[in-house]
Amino acid sequence: MLFKISSMHLTVMGALLVTAGVAIENVGLAKERYSSAAILLPIAPLQLAQNTPTLTERVDQIDTCRGTAAAITIYKNSALNDAIGTVSANSSITLTGIFGAGVVQIKAPQLGWVATNTLVINCGAPPDGTLPGDIDTSPRYCRRLRSPEVDGSDYGDLSTGLVARNTANGDFQYIGSSNQTDGPTKGAIVRFPGGATDLEDAGGRRWIRIKYRSSTGASRVGWVPNGPTGVNRNIAACSSGQN
């Protein structure tokens, strides 16, 4: 049987096909847009572990002096990879008290970092054992005897001060011809020359050579124990405002 298709039927069928095509095209566009959006989603940055050096502040080393046996390099940072200056041999430098692994920060002659193995304790003290000419006026020589009131109960043994010796672990120093021992009193301000020969380990203890004020008010030079062998415990850097 033959059916006669009118022009109106053809028009309707064409419209349906066009509509279906548009819908299919729209689905394709939607998929394309969704895929594009998925590709453009931000990717979280990769987190890399950072090796941050450990730095420690040692209050007892703030403003202390060290010497140089040979010329050394000053660096901008603790990684020692950006040189900013040099210090000649047999010179003095001043520490800030900040230490790292094998490095130390200095504030003079300029702010920077140096390797600790390039420094020596001798800070320019005369080699014959005499005292520096500015020992009574320069803050770099200023030290204080710790006390329980300032440093805590762990230093209760220093409440009576320290007894001075003539040499490291040697004979006691006495007041005049009496049998009363002499030495710095509790919390006393003392002066440390800072030379390599002003520190010595003997008799299981570390000894430090200082200039101190006697019980009679006179200035004396003697040796006092600073802690067990290899340990600096009893003497600390002067506090702010002390000289």
Side-chain angles (χ1 to χ4, degrees):
M1 178 182 297
L2 297 175
F3 295 94
K4 184 177 181 180
I5 299 176
S6 66
S7 61
M8 180 176 69
H9 290 145
L10 289 173
T11 300
V12 172
M13 291 176 65
L16 290 174
L17 289 173
V18 170
T19 301
V22 171
I24 292 172
E25 181 182 359
N26 288 341
V27 171
L29 288 173
K31 288 182 179 179
E32 182 179 351
R33 289 171 183 167
Y34 179 81
S35 300
S36 299
I39 293 173
L40 296 176
L41 285 176
I43 300 174
L46 180 62
Q47 298 296 321
L48 299 177
Q50 301 294 322
N51 294 322
T52 303
T54 300
L55 301 178
T56 303
E57 182 184 47
R58 295 175 54 185
V59 177
D60 64 317
Q61 295 297 312
I62 295 175
D63 291 331
T64 57
C65 182
R66 292 292 182 270
T68 59
I72 66 172
T73 302
I74 304 175
Y75 296 89
K76 185 176 182 179
N77 53 54
S78 60
L80 304 185
N81 58 12
D82 191 357
I84 57 175
T86 59
V87 182
S88 60
N90 301 314
S91 298
S92 298
I93 66 171
T94 305
L95 308 184
T96 66
I98 306 299
F99 288 76
V103 296
V104 62
Q105 188 183 52
I106 67 172
K107 61 189 298 185
Q110 71 180 98
L111 184 64
W113 294 83
V114 299
T116 53
N117 62 7
T118 63
L119 304 180
V120 294
I121 295 177
N122 191 337
C123 193
D128 59 0
T130 58
L131 300 176
D134 60 345
I135 192 168
D136 293 319
T137 57
S138 176
R140 73 182 188 181
Y141 303 116
C142 186
R143 301 293 186 274
R144 65 180 179 86
L145 186 62
R146 294 186 188 274
S147 67
E149 289 80 5
V150 175
D151 302 284
S153 58
D154 288 344
Y155 297 92
D157 58 306
L158 299 177
S159 294
T160 56
L162 290 173
V163 176
R165 311 282 188 107
N166 290 321
T167 59
N169 200 38
D171 295 332
F172 292 120
Q173 291 186 340
Y174 293 95
I175 298 175
S177 59
S178 72
N179 59 359
Q180 182 179 347
T181 56
D182 203 359
T185 57
K186 180 178 70 173
I189 298 298
V190 300
R191 317 300 291 186
F192 173 52
T197 58
D198 296 315
L199 282 175
E200 186 176 334
D201 290 335
R205 289 191 283 182
R206 166 152 289 186
W207 297 85
I208 179 173
R209 179 174 175 259
I210 61 170
K211 182 179 182 181
Y212 71 96
R213 187 170 296 279
S214 166
S215 300
T216 63
S219 292
R220 298 191 70 173
V221 177
W223 292 79
V224 294
N226 202 17
T229 297
V231 177
N232 296 314
R233 172 188 181 267
N234 300 335
I235 304 295
C238 285
S239 304
S240 177
Q242 293 178 323
N243 185 34

